Amino acid sequence: MSVLEILNNKAKLNPQKVAFPEGTNEKIMQAAYECGKEGTIIPVLVGNREELKQLAIERGYDASVFTFVDLQDEAYQNELIQKYVSLPNTLLKEKALHRRLSDPLNFALVMEAVDEAAATFAGIDTTTGDVLFSAQQIIGMKPGISNISSIGLCDIPNYEGSEGSLLAITDSAVATNPTAEELANIAISACDTMEALLDWEPRCAMISYSTLGSGQGELVDKVAQAVKIANEKRPDLAIDGEFQLDAAIKPEVAAKKVKKASKVAGRANILVWSNLDVGNVAVKLIQTFGKANAYGPMLQGFNKVVCDCSRGAPVAEIKGNIVISALRAAGAKHHG
Amino acid sequence: MTREALENKVLECVAVTFRKTIDELSVNTDFKADLGGASILMVGLASLIENELDVLIPLPTVATCKSVKDLVDKVEAEL
């Protein structure tokens, strides 16, 4: 069974409401419809109700699969505003929020913030910057986390790691040159993401060219410092390093190079790159030479699940990312 | 609102956001060099200004402001 089949089956057990502020987009509507029809999510299209309904019918879809939410529905707007402003630690007050609700992306994010939707899926017609800024303002960041990052799930043929052919890697897309504090946040977010998505027991390795002091220099110092910060912030998580890649994922190498007790060494299921140079090169190496399928990038660090979809993504890829978003949302509710 | 009153109001918002006292800040304060300029705090600042002054400065615009004076200019242009 492929990873996507496993994820689809899991999503069908507890389908989540996913809000789509770009429902007029043909690819988004198709992907949302197919996911809804297959029972992996409950698709909620946010915008002009009549326009969306008409488009769905014209495109040959059974409109009953969708829930339509109209931006102009004043009673619902007021309900959302009242719920939102009563939440703790939100950044926007009533008037500012009301102004936001004329925009479908912001409307969807407010719905998610007040639990009217489990996740928001956008980015096909909206820039990444707009999605990130709006999400930071309306959804906010996870307590203790101050930076956004991304994580990818790789399915690598012939790789036999601690999760079979699967390996999570972060960050290959967002954080350019994270500080030690930011790198620690990335590791913590990654552990929470993978626990929510696949019920993994996260074992997170902070990757470097050095294993526990075998090399010296400021790059090594940053990673070692990040491990220390992460362990202080979240002692409940297995985050360890600094490790070279082989010491992180190969038990026989870990046995030689890592002389201390470690839950992570040799059996890591999450790898944290030290910066985006490493992350970008690494994911392309895995895809090119390892022939891996890479899913994501999934955004992490927000209080709730927000997905920024790639503009050029085909429908199949969009569907995969919708299901991943829904599963993360369901998992976050379950794991708390 | 006079320019001076606006500057004071924006400085108050900056002080709250970055946990500084007004005395530690001026219109020449540089967000990145003097305050660290963490993007998440700039999001908070944009929200606070919108709440307090009822003016929407898009976050990408706030992010381009190098100093408090630049931000005051953007707010003034929208008032």
Side-chain angles (χ1 to χ4, degrees), chain A residues 91-93 95-97 99-100 130 133-134 136-137 141 146, chain B residues 39-40 43-44 46-47 50-52 54-56 59-60 63:
Chain A
L91 290 174
L92 296 172
K93 288 185 182 168
K95 203 166 178 182
L97 193 63
R99 192 166 17 220
R100 292 285 186 294
D130 284 345
F133 278 133
S134 292
Q136 282 183 74
Q137 199 163 42
M141 303 296 289
S146 56
Chain B
S39 68
I40 189 67
V43 172
S47 310
E50 187 175 353
N51 289 332
E52 296 298 318
D54 195 22
V55 55
L56 170 61
L59 288 163

Side-chain angles (χ1 to χ4, degrees), chain B residues 27-59:
Chain B
V27 289
N28 296 317
T29 297
D30 185 297
F31 285 113
K32 197 162 188 190
D34 301 326
L35 299 173
S39 68
I40 189 67
L41 292 178
M42 296 301 272
V43 172
L45 177 58
S47 310
L48 192 56
I49 284 174
E50 187 175 353
N51 289 332
E52 296 298 318
L53 293 163
D54 195 22
V55 55
L56 170 61
I57 310 293
L59 288 163

Side-chain angles (χ1 to χ4, degrees), chain A residues 93-207:
Chain A
K93 288 185 182 168
E94 198 166 330
K95 203 166 178 182
L97 193 63
H98 191 266
R99 192 166 17 220
R100 292 285 186 294
L101 291 182
S102 59
D103 172 69
L105 171 63
N106 290 327
F107 200 107
L109 289 167
V110 174
M111 284 178 64
E112 182 180 353
V114 302
D115 291 331
E116 293 276 318
T120 301
F121 195 93
I124 199 122
D125 294 327
T126 316
T127 66
T128 295
D130 284 345
V131 174
L132 298 186
F133 278 133
S134 292
Q136 282 183 74
Q137 199 163 42
I138 293 170
I139 298 286
M141 303 296 289
K142 250 190 171 166
I145 302 292
S146 56
N147 53 299
I148 301 160
S149 57
S150 76
I151 186 165
L153 177 64
C154 297
D155 186 6
I156 311 162
N158 301 319
Y159 171 63
E160 289 175 14
S162 61
E163 304 292 345
S165 61
L166 299 181
L167 185 66
I169 59 173
T170 177
D171 177 353
S172 297
V174 175
T176 313
N177 190 15
T179 62
E181 171 90 31
E182 289 166 342
L183 205 55
N185 288 338
I186 292 170
I188 291 166
S189 296
C191 292
D192 289 339
T193 299
M194 294 317 299
E195 186 180 21
L197 179 64
L198 288 170
D199 302 313
W200 281 2
E201 180 191 326
R203 291 181 298 279
C204 178
M206 310 287 266
I207 303 301

Side-chain angles (χ1 to χ4, degrees), chain A residues 189-334:
Chain A
S189 296
C191 292
D192 289 339
T193 299
M194 294 317 299
E195 186 180 21
L197 179 64
L198 288 170
D199 302 313
W200 281 2
E201 180 191 326
R203 291 181 298 279
C204 178
M206 310 287 266
I207 303 301
S208 170
Y209 63 84
S210 161
T211 297
L212 300 177
S214 66
Q216 279 90 39
E218 59 180 309
L219 296 176
V220 178
D221 293 344
K222 180 177 89 167
V223 178
Q225 180 67 12
V227 174
K228 193 166 173 273
I229 295 169
N231 289 336
E232 282 168 5
K233 282 176 97 167
R234 287 289 298 274
D236 57 310
L237 297 173
I239 298 172
D240 207 352
E242 85 286 349
F243 294 145
Q244 288 158 284
L245 179 77
D246 52 0
I249 59 174
K250 290 184 168 180
E252 67 276 17
V253 177
K256 283 183 195 160
K257 291 187 175 179
V258 180
K259 299 302 179 193
K260 64 165 191 170
S262 173
K263 284 184 184 171
V264 177
R267 49 196 303 265
N269 50 18
I270 300 169
L271 304 181
V272 180
W273 314 123
S274 53
N275 64 38
L276 195 52
D277 261 344
V278 181
N280 185 270
V281 172
V283 73
K284 289 181 189 305
L285 286 173
I286 296 170
Q287 286 174 308
T288 306
F289 299 114
K291 308 294 179 200
N293 286 317
Y295 302 97
M298 301 169 249
L299 292 176
Q300 51 182 17
F302 295 122
N303 234 338
K304 295 188 167 187
V305 177
V306 176
C307 187
D308 174 43
C309 123
S310 162
R311 289 180 182 210
V315 171
E317 186 181 320
I318 294 171
K319 282 177 67 183
N321 283 324
I322 291 171
V323 172
I324 284 173
S325 300
L327 277 176
R328 287 178 65 198
K333 282 183 198 169
H334 177 70

